[in-house]
Amino acid sequence: MLKNKKIMDCVIIGSGPAGYTAAIYAARADLHPVLFVGLQPGGQLTSTTKVDNYPGFPAGISGNELMENCQKQAERFNTIIIHKPITKVYFSDQKGGIHRVYMEDKENIIESKGIIIATGSSPKFLGMDKEKKFLGFGVSFCATCDGFFHKGKDVAVIGGGDTALEEASYLSKICRNVYLVVRKNYFRASKALQYRISKINNVNIFFCSQITKIMGDNFLEGIQIFNTKNKISQTILISGLFIAIGHSPNTKLFQNQLNLDERGYIVVEKGSTITNKPGVFAAGDVQDPTYRQAITSAGTGCMAALDLEKYLCLC
Ligand code: FAD
C-alpha cells in the first residue's frame, strides 16, 4: 500500500492517546495516515493498571485495553500501522514542502507533506528496587490519575519542584497525611506554591531526605527515608508513593529540526498544534509540560489532525 503512494499526506509518530486520536481523525478525513508505533506500543498508559478518569468508561478501564481499543478504532478507518521506531527526521522549511522520516535501517524512508509528532514524555524514575514492580500497585507518577485510590490513607510525594508541590497539594485534599520528601534543604518550586504548601496542615515536609528503600511484597506498604543532615533513618507506612522528580519529553530526535523550550518540550503556537516547521504538528505530552493527561493528549491529537487537514487544503 505504501509503495503505491510515494508521498503521504500524514505520518504520525507515536501510538499513545495523542497518536491514535490523530490517526482516527486524519483517517476519517481521507488523509490515509501512517502511524509509527515506536518502542512502547500504546504509550505510557500501558504501564498502568486501571484508568479511572477517561470519560466513557463508568467502571474504569485497564490502560492496555483502552489503548488496544484506540488501535482497533484507528485500524477500522484503515490507518497503516508500522511497528517500528523512527530514528531520524528531516523537516522541510518550505510551505507545502516534503518531510522525511527514517526507520532503523536508514534506507527505509517515508516522505510526507504532513507530520504529526506524538512521541510523549517519560517520567523520571528514582532508579530503586521495586519501583517499577509496584507501578500501579502503590507507586505512581500522577496524583490526578491515582490519588483517588488512596482516599483517607497516608501517601508520600518525592520531589521539591513545582510538580511535587502541586501533587502534594492535590493529595492533601484526598488523603489523611501527605509526606513530602525533599532531597535538598529547600524547595525548587515557586514561592507561591511554597506558601500554599506551608498553609496545609496534613502535609509533612522532610527536607534533606532521601528515600533508601521501597517496602512491601506484592504492593507498596511503606518507604524508608534517610536524613542526610542528622543521619537518621525512619520508616513511613504509606499506601501510595508519588514520584514527582520530573518528566523528559521524547524530543531528542527533533533537537536540530524544531523549536524546543528550555526543558525540551516542542514549542507550538498558542491554542494550536502548529510548530515552527510548516506541515509539522505536535500533540500530547511532547508539547505539554502542564497537564500531561490521556484526555488532553487525545484532545490535542484531534487538534493536530484538524490543523494538518487545514494546512493541506491551503497548500
Ligand atoms: P505517550 O502515551 O507517552 O506515547 C508516546 C508514544 O510515542 C509511544 O507509543 C512511543 O512508543 C512513541 N514513540 C516515542 N518515540 C518514538 C519514535 N522515535 N518513533 C516512533 N514512536 C515513538 N493519564 C490519565 O489521564 N489517566 C491515568 O490514569 C493515567 N495514569 C498514568 C499512569 C502512569 C504509570 C503513567 C506513566 C502515566 C499516566 N497517565 C495517565 C498519563 C498519560 O499516560 C499520558 O498523559 C499520555 O499517555 C500521553 O499520551 P501521548 O500520546 O502524548 O504519549
Side-chain angles (χ1 to χ4, degrees):
M1 197 166 178
L2 282 174
K3 279 176 194 154
N4 295 341
K5 192 174 182 190
K6 279 192 184 131
I7 297 172
M8 310 303 295
D9 280 333
C10 174
V11 163
I12 298 166
I13 312 176
S15 59
Y20 277 130
T21 307
I24 292 162
Y25 275 77
R28 296 184 80 246
D30 257 355
L31 301 185
H32 308 287
V34 176
L35 181 145
F36 285 89
V37 164
L39 298 177
Q40 192 179 24
Q44 290 174 67
L45 277 189
T46 58
S47 61
T48 190
T49 43
K50 197 171 175 196
V51 180
D52 251 353
N53 56 5
Y54 200 89
F57 301 95
I61 183 167
S62 92
N64 276 311
E65 197 184 344
L66 177 59
M67 295 318 299
E68 278 162 23
N69 286 348
C70 289
Q71 180 178 340
K72 283 182 198 153
Q73 197 171 348
E75 282 173 333
R76 181 155 76 89
F77 300 110
N78 299 326
T79 299
I80 300 168
I81 294 179
I82 300 182
H83 288 264
K84 284 184 180 167
I86 294 300
T87 53
K88 191 178 145 189
V89 295
Y90 161 79
F91 296 148
S92 165
D93 290 315
Q94 307 296 318
K95 192 170 177 194
I98 306 301
H99 309 294
R100 271 184 245 136
V101 299
Y102 298 73
M103 283 168 258
E104 278 147 323
D105 48 16
K106 299 245 164 70
E107 308 284 290
N108 223 338
I109 301 168
I110 292 192
E111 294 187 317
S112 180
K113 287 183 238 165
I115 303 279
I116 294 175
I117 299 170
T119 48
S121 66
S122 308
K124 289 185 189 157
F125 283 84
L126 296 163
M128 295 191 64
D129 230 25
K130 295 193 179 169
E131 188 183 15
K132 287 191 176 158
K133 179 182 168 192
F134 288 164
L135 206 53
F137 297 92
V139 172
S140 171
F141 290 99
C142 174
T144 324
C145 313
D146 298 329
F148 185 78
F149 300 124
H150 304 280
K151 200 171 180 181
K153 297 180 185 166
D154 295 343
V155 298
V157 175
I158 311 292
D162 282 350
T163 308
L165 270 62
E166 290 276 14
E167 301 273 85
S169 166
Y170 179 87
L171 290 164
S172 69
K173 295 177 200 122
I174 305 168
C175 303
R176 187 171 52 186
N177 281 303
V178 179
Y179 302 102
L180 183 55
V181 182
V182 188
R183 198 158 47 97
K184 304 242 168 74
N185 64 349
Y186 59 87
F187 287 122
R188 277 183 299 105
S190 69
K191 287 277 177 278
L193 268 171
Q194 293 187 38
Y195 179 74
R196 202 205 300 169
I197 278 290
S198 71
K199 297 284 164 210
I200 305 175
N201 288 332
N202 62 341
V203 174
N204 311 280
I205 302 162
F206 294 88
F207 283 115
C208 302
S209 294
Q210 288 176 0
I211 174 166
T212 47
K213 196 172 175 187
I214 295 176
M215 294 150 65
D217 291 327
N218 299 318
F219 51 85
L220 176 83
E221 289 170 17
I223 52 170
Q224 219 166 57
I225 59 170
F226 177 70
N227 186 305
T228 49
K229 208 166 164 192
N230 62 22
K231 311 287 180 210
I232 291 174
S233 274
Q234 62 177 308
T235 297
I236 307 176
L237 298 180
I238 46 168
S239 65
L241 174 65
F242 292 85
I243 300 166
I245 56 172
H247 275 72
S248 308
N250 300 321
T251 51
K252 209 169 158 207
L253 201 56
F254 314 113
Q255 260 167 9
N256 301 317
Q257 298 282 325
L258 292 178
N259 285 346
L260 307 179
D261 72 9
E262 67 285 352
R263 285 170 293 182
Y265 287 88
I266 297 176
V267 177
V268 291
E269 278 181 23
K270 201 163 186 268
S272 83
T273 61
I274 298 169
T275 70
N276 63 310
K277 291 281 167 91
V280 179
F281 303 87
D285 281 11
V286 74
Q287 52 82 54
D288 173 16
T290 311
Y291 301 104
R292 293 195 302 253
Q293 295 295 295
I295 189 71
T296 47
S297 297
T300 49
C302 155
M303 287 165 63
L306 297 178
D307 284 343
L308 171 58
E309 193 190 353
K310 191 170 163 195
Y311 165 81
L312 291 172
C313 284
L314 296 173
C315 280

